[in-house]
Amino acid sequence: MVELLPEGDQLRAARALATLDDVGLGDHVCWRLDPASALLADTRAFVADGALHGDKIVVLGGVDSTTGLTPGAVPSDSVILDFSPVADTAAVLAAVRRETRTALRQGFRSVRVLTERLPRPATAGVEELLDQELKLDQFASESGAIVVCAFRPSQWRGPTLEHMACVHPHEVGIRAERPAFRMFSTGADSWSVDGVVDSDCAAAFSAAVRAAIMQTPSMTLRFDTLELIDAAGMRALVDAARRLPAGSIVVEGANDTVRLGWELAGYQATDSVVMSA
């Protein structure tokens, strides 16, 4: 079912960053790499800021030309987790969480995770890619870690890259335009949806919700900063809810415009939707 509840507080917020210098604790950043930019200088600055603030560097995927780093460019206490692009998500997250606990015991403020995200084989669906991103975002939200995911646009299909960008609350680097919406963690089994969900991005929204559903039988969507959701977006949400016959999707914080549109669409009258004042 989908339930609409009154507005509530919003803790994390989507925002664009001018440079990696602007990252903060708990940020999960989509970094679109400009082929003409000084990649090595940018990554070295990110690493140097880690030393300045007392953060431990954790690199996923190795240090080589793909990340713009060399072994000598990272502090000796950095951790290199050389997972392949098709590594199991649970194994990757378990390793990152373990290194975070170790860093805190060692006296570091937090960890700075840097990884270049690479497309998976054609057999892997977009939901599998989104599942890992959503789990990384949940990790950043819960732990206060900084997670920067680098993307080379030339390596990605445009629609797939847009799907990936939508599940990062923060971004830096080149882009054609801001994603219409962003979906990101606001607590255990709770996700905020920011922006506009319309027919142009309903497919991306549907994929993100389905990926989140893979993690839990019940979930909460925060609509505090959602400006508008059209009929296609509503349909995507209802279809996702129907995949949870024993669970529910609870929507909180919908504004008057979203709530009125929901009512006019007639979803209150369906068995799969429960609206609450």
Side-chain angles (χ1 to χ4, degrees):
M1 72 182 76
V2 177
E3 184 178 2
L4 290 177
L5 298 176
E7 293 182 296
D9 295 332
Q10 183 69 32
L11 299 179
R12 297 176 90 200
R15 73 184 197 280
L17 311 176
T19 70
L20 289 178
D21 293 339
D22 298 329
V23 297
L25 294 177
D27 284 357
H28 178 211
V29 182
C30 173
W31 181 19
R32 300 196 188 210
L33 300 175
D34 182 346
S37 72
L39 174 61
L40 182 57
D42 291 340
T43 51
R44 280 183 169 170
F46 177 72
V47 169
D49 281 348
L52 178 65
H53 293 288
D55 300 329
K56 189 171 186 176
I57 304 300
V58 176
V59 180
L60 292 179
V63 287
D64 52 32
S65 59
T66 62
T67 60
L69 293 173
T70 60
V74 294
S76 58
D77 54 13
S78 299
V79 174
I80 312 302
L81 300 175
D82 199 1
F83 286 101
S84 73
V86 295
D88 177 69
T89 297
V92 173
L93 265 293
V96 173
R97 289 181 184 277
R98 182 172 60 250
E99 295 302 334
T100 302
R101 291 193 297 269
T102 299
L104 294 177
R105 287 197 302 268
Q106 293 171 332
F108 289 94
R109 181 186 69 159
S110 187
V111 296
R112 291 185 169 224
V113 179
L114 176 63
T115 179
E116 181 173 0
R117 307 294 279 137
L118 300 173
R120 293 196 174 193
T123 54
V126 67
E127 287 178 29
E128 186 177 348
L129 291 165
L130 292 173
D131 176 60
Q132 188 167 102
E133 289 299 340
L134 288 171
K135 287 178 178 175
L136 281 171
D137 188 64
Q138 198 165 35
F139 158 73
S141 174
E142 293 171 350
S143 68
I146 298 168
V147 180
V148 174
C149 300
F151 295 86
R152 296 179 190 267
S154 61
Q155 296 181 346
W156 292 81
R157 292 179 59 252
T160 303
L161 181 55
E162 287 307 305
H163 281 48
M164 300 291 277
C166 288
V167 292
H168 289 77
H170 316 105
E171 70 169 330
V172 66
I174 61 169
R175 57 164 298 97
E177 60 184 48
R178 174 191 171 96
F181 80 94
R182 293 187 187 277
M183 180 170 154
F184 51 92
S185 176
T186 51
D189 302 327
S190 177
W191 306 89
S192 179
V193 184
D194 172 272
V196 173
V197 179
D198 58 18
S199 57
D200 291 337
C201 62
F205 179 59
S206 175
V209 173
R210 293 196 308 269
I213 285 173
M214 292 168 59
Q215 303 182 32
T216 177
S218 299
M219 60 183 290
T220 298
L221 293 180
R222 300 288 320 174
F223 275 15
D224 304 78
T225 55
L226 182 71
E227 300 172 25
L228 177 70
I229 181 169
D230 72 1
M234 293 178 195
R235 171 55 57 186
L237 182 55
V238 170
D239 288 345
R242 288 171 177 166
R243 294 191 178 202
L244 290 168
S248 63
I249 297 176
V250 177
V251 178
E252 298 180 350
N255 63 34
D256 290 342
T257 300
V258 170
R259 193 179 298 277
L260 178 60
W262 191 268
E263 294 174 0
L264 292 176
Y267 287 119
Q268 281 183 309
T270 68
D271 292 338
S272 62
V273 176
V274 175
M275 298 181 66
S276 177

